[in-house]
Amino acid sequence: MSRLIVTNSSLYYPQPPSSVRAVDDLLLPLPQYFEDAMFLQSRFYEGFQQNMAERYWEVERVARQVGALLPDLLTQPAGESAWDCFLGSFIKFTMGPLLAAAEAVETACEEARPEQIIAWDEPRSVSWWGGRQLVDDVALRASEITGAPVSYRSGSFARAVRSASHGPLTRARAARYYLRQLRPASGQLPGQYDVIIPAFGRTIRGMLREIGGRLVAEGLRVLMVEMPRDPLRPGPADTGLPHFNLYDLRDEDLLRQSFFEVDASFDWHRHFAEAVSRCPALPLQGRLREALVRRMHNITAYEMPFQLYHRRLWRRLLDEVRPRALLAFNHYGTALASGVLQANQRGMATVLCQHGMGSAHWSSTTLLPFDLALTFGDYASELLSSVAYPSTEFAVTGHSAWDNVRAAADLQRPDLQQRPVVLATMQTSEQHLGAAEARWWLRCLAAACRELGAQLVIKPHPNETCTLAYEQLAREMPETVSFVPHGERPLAELIDECTVLATRYSTTAVEAIIAGKLVMTVYPSGDRERYPLAGEGAAVKVDSCEELLPALRALLTDTDLQERLASNRDSFLRRHVGPLDGGATDRIVEHLLRVTAEASPAHGSTEAARELSDRP
């Protein structure tokens, strides 16, 4: 009997064990985020993977259709409404995964014609209880298509409790968000500035100091607008710039209005559910349409009041500061979106400055309608231009953080008389990603290093909060493995001392290539490469734990492989890093001075604002 097992994303969750999955069973993993459809190892997503940028615009069009079913309060004024601001998040977390799963399940049922459907979900996961997993819904959709029966991993009682509690718990979570802010705001109003820079976290502090400092030296008044993920915490400090927390503009009237809108979300959701039933053009059928209605509980109760709240905060800030330009380092964010869209409506210049290495998933992400996007190199420009509005101008500047970095003249070949050092740089999501894999790649890499007489140095990500697994590995293999806590030694020093850098897809790989080091990217489940380091010939990609030892041995000893990597290095750096001539900050500042001088806040909306307002 043919069986189809519908399960969570293979990128983040353990897959069904052999006790559940027979050799000839077909597996349908579901995307947790829209961009997951690019990387899932399943033939059922091949059609979706052909051109993700085209698919992005298809999903965006459907997302706007969904928005048209909401009350006017959430969709007006066009171009800066709550729905316009939330659209990118809706595409990433809801509409994109739903449409990708809808196409994949249709393909799977047509090709396999399963006689039984198994819904293998993760009922212990927070996302399951929050109603954000789609396994039940897609399994039931497969049953609707084929007539095959469905069996569940999760019990019917737990599913009933989840359904009954989802709406009230979401509203309680929303109310708590505003209750925590019911206290006097600190600080005084900021006054007037020429340029405002919204800032989320500490990874951009160096860029803020360099670029902001140069703008101040050119005579501009620059204000850093702190937008911490927790509204009651400060944003990135130590930048040398005047700073103001966006949430210091809150008051009791503003919060009272948000509480009212959380209550009003009952009516908003009812309005939406009725409208969906009268919308035959919506490209979701049966159970998946019901899944959309259920997920809108969270959106109407939490996200829409959140967007209206931030829209009012940004209006107060822009009225007070009256800037000529807004400089952002993130291409999208639900709290940032309202600032960018309102700035466009007021005729301010809006500029995006790339701050981290782009990934292939950028061709499936939302880019707010900036007037100007400054990128490191051509690769990021190509990705972002595929999802940009026509009025967005692109310019390659290089990365200001690398102005004091000079690329090594050539790839450094290993000195076999010295003990090789392998530097492993980690991701914030390492524990989450590792849960989906049968073996921990870092332990396998340590074994490979021991076999080859190499030393393994583990460097955690700056934002990792739990490093116990790394410390334990170092205790188990003290002669081979050492653990270096973040901040104990400079990253540049660690890269300089290493022979090979190994990582999943960290930006540190690019820094190692700049320094002339050998690089290995590790995808233990054979997933598609997130960043084309090996795809463009600048690194070696390892697709399983079994490949780690031969791949590391080849990097250390195979001179032909080393020559191939060396020959691709310069072209890779030009395309991805841009000019490494020490002039990136100069170029960024020149562009900012130009657009700030040309901005006309007194003359109404920009071309980008008009394009967004005219979207059907």
Side-chain angles (χ1 to χ4, degrees):
M1 181 173 64
S2 62
R3 304 194 309 175
L4 177 68
I5 303 179
V6 182
T7 188
N8 295 115
S9 172
S10 56
L11 302 175
Y12 311 110
Y13 291 92
Q15 294 302 281
S18 57
S19 59
V20 173
R21 183 184 180 187
V23 174
D24 55 351
D25 285 343
L26 288 174
L27 197 66
L28 177 60
L30 302 181
Q32 183 163 314
Y33 314 114
F34 181 38
E35 62 261 26
D36 290 354
M38 298 180 69
F39 303 109
L40 287 170
Q41 295 283 1
S42 170
R43 72 175 189 267
F44 303 130
Y45 292 97
E46 289 176 357
F48 224 82
Q49 293 168 348
Q50 296 302 315
N51 191 327
M52 282 300 288
E54 271 186 26
R55 289 309 184 101
Y56 170 82
W57 289 112
E58 290 175 17
V59 175
E60 199 248 20
R61 176 180 54 78
V62 176
R64 290 191 179 279
Q65 285 182 336
V66 171
L69 307 178
L70 290 167
D72 287 348
L73 174 66
L74 307 179
T75 58
Q76 298 297 324
E80 60 169 296
S81 70
W83 190 252
D84 287 319
C85 296
F86 180 66
L87 199 68
S89 183
F90 183 67
I91 290 169
K92 179 183 178 77
F93 295 104
T94 299
M95 203 72 245
L98 271 169
L99 290 179
E103 182 171 314
V105 73
E106 294 276 354
T107 304
C109 291
E110 182 179 340
E111 290 185 11
R113 302 189 182 282
E115 299 169 82
Q116 183 182 3
I117 315 295
I118 299 175
W120 187 263
D121 49 14
E122 286 290 334
R124 291 165 295 182
S125 168
V126 171
S127 66
W128 189 86
W129 283 100
R132 295 192 297 277
Q133 292 188 14
L134 296 171
V135 174
D136 287 10
D137 305 291
V138 174
L140 285 168
R141 177 59 187 152
S143 179
E144 289 174 343
I145 296 169
T146 63
V150 180
S151 62
Y152 299 93
R153 180 187 188 188
S154 51
S156 57
F157 178 75
R159 293 200 305 278
V161 171
R162 178 187 61 181
S163 295
S165 63
H166 177 59
L169 287 177
T170 297
R171 287 173 176 83
R173 172 172 163 253
R176 179 178 180 273
Y177 178 84
Y178 302 105
L179 278 170
R180 291 184 66 240
Q181 298 179 63
L182 275 175
R183 62 186 70 182
S186 59
Q188 298 179 344
L189 292 175
Q192 294 188 12
Y193 288 84
D194 301 303
V195 179
I196 58 172
I197 307 178
F200 292 95
R202 52 188 179 177
T203 56
I204 62 169
R205 281 185 296 189
M207 296 183 74
L208 284 168
R209 278 194 300 268
E210 293 299 319
I211 297 169
R214 285 286 306 280
L215 291 173
V216 171
E218 294 288 343
L220 294 182
R221 298 165 298 172
V222 179
L223 176 69
M224 182 180 74
V225 179
E226 297 174 347
M227 298 176 59
R229 301 192 188 283
D230 181 343
L232 301 181
R233 293 183 179 273
D238 306 324
T239 63
L241 297 173
H243 52 94
F244 183 80
N245 192 312
L246 178 70
Y247 299 98
D248 278 346
L249 293 168
R250 68 184 185 273
D251 58 29
E252 288 190 12
D253 288 341
L254 199 64
L255 294 169
R256 190 179 299 112
Q257 194 165 3
S258 295
F259 281 120
F260 170 79
E261 286 159 352
V262 171
D263 287 338
S265 68
F266 283 99
D267 293 330
W268 297 347
H269 187 262
R270 190 180 305 113
H271 175 105
F272 175 79
E274 292 172 356
V276 165
S277 66
R278 302 190 302 270
C279 185
L282 196 64
L284 289 173
Q285 303 302 322
R287 184 66 186 209
L288 294 185
R289 188 172 285 220
E290 293 176 28
L292 172 64
V293 173
R294 187 188 72 242
R295 288 175 75 124
M296 289 298 287
H297 270 299
N298 182 69
I299 290 167
T300 53
Y302 188 88
E303 302 292 354
M304 289 297 96
F306 176 92
Q307 295 298 162
L308 292 167
Y309 177 57
H310 282 80
R311 181 176 157 201
R312 293 171 189 126
L313 289 172
W314 273 104
R315 183 185 300 128
R316 290 185 177 187
L317 180 74
L318 296 179
D319 285 346
E320 169 70 19
V321 177
R322 300 174 62 187
R324 300 181 61 82
L326 180 151
L327 169 64
F329 291 93
N330 297 75
H331 46 75
Y332 176 77
T334 51
L336 171 67
S338 190
V340 173
L341 298 187
Q342 288 191 54
N344 285 338
Q345 293 289 344
R346 293 170 182 240
M348 293 165 48
T350 52
V351 181
L352 168 69
C353 186
Q354 182 184 353
H355 81 276
M357 298 306 296
S359 168
H361 81 270
W362 278 8
S363 62
S364 64
T365 194
T366 295
L367 176 66
L368 290 168
F370 293 97
D371 298 311
L372 174 64
L374 305 176
T375 63
F376 298 169
D378 291 333
Y379 178 72
S381 291
E382 291 166 11
L383 290 175
L384 290 176
S385 63
S386 69
V387 291
Y389 288 95
S391 61
T392 300
E393 173 191 349
F394 284 83
V396 170
T397 61
H399 188 3
S400 67
W402 291 335
D403 271 350
N404 296 321
V405 173
R406 293 295 178 268
D410 195 8
L411 186 73
Q412 297 176 22
R413 277 64 168 181
D415 180 358
L416 299 181
Q417 303 303 313
Q418 303 288 329
R419 186 186 188 189
V421 177
V422 178
L423 175 63
T425 54
M426 313 311 292
Q427 308 290 130
T428 53
S429 54
E430 176 59 35
Q431 293 186 34
H432 190 45
L433 294 170
E437 297 160 357
R439 300 169 66 192
W440 192 25
W441 72 276
L442 201 59
R443 184 179 297 279
C444 297
L445 179 61
C449 288
R450 181 172 57 190
E451 175 80 13
L452 298 172
Q455 179 186 4
L456 175 63
V457 178
I458 302 173
K459 163 68 173 67
H461 190 279
N463 293 334
E464 277 190 281
T465 56
C466 181
T467 59
L468 295 177
Y470 310 143
E471 296 169 43
Q472 177 62 29
L473 185 59
R475 284 193 293 269
E476 291 176 14
M477 304 173 67
E479 295 182 358
T480 300
V481 181
S482 61
F483 170 69
V484 180
H486 174 68
E488 185 173 286
R489 294 184 62 194
L491 174 62
E493 187 177 289
L494 294 172
I495 290 176
D496 184 61
E497 293 176 2
C498 80
T499 314
V500 176
L501 184 137
T503 188
R504 288 184 186 267
Y505 43 87
S506 169
T507 300
T508 57
V510 177
E511 297 180 49
I513 294 170
I514 293 172
K517 302 297 180 174
L518 297 161
V519 171
M520 169 195 297
T521 61
V522 184
Y523 293 82
S525 300
D527 297 327
R528 178 182 172 187
E529 198 174 28
R530 297 293 184 102
Y531 194 86
L533 294 154
E536 298 197 12
V540 168
K541 179 174 182 273
V542 176
D543 288 316
S544 70
C545 287
E546 290 73 22
E547 292 180 21
L548 279 166
L549 176 58
L552 182 57
R553 179 182 285 117
L555 277 170
L556 294 174
T557 62
D558 187 336
T559 55
D560 289 339
L561 172 61
Q562 293 164 7
E563 289 303 319
R564 286 198 302 274
L565 294 173
S567 66
N568 295 324
R569 180 171 167 269
D570 288 345
S571 60
F572 176 87
L573 291 177
R574 281 195 302 272
R575 177 165 155 72
H576 291 263
V577 177
L580 283 166
D581 56 4
T585 303
D586 291 338
R587 286 184 285 271
I588 292 168
V589 169
E590 286 173 10
H591 282 293
L592 290 169
L593 291 173
R594 172 179 63 83
V595 298
T596 302
E598 293 173 356
S600 303
H603 292 90
S605 61
T606 63
E607 181 63 26
R610 289 189 289 274
E611 282 180 354
L612 186 60
S613 300
D614 292 340
R615 295 291 291 176

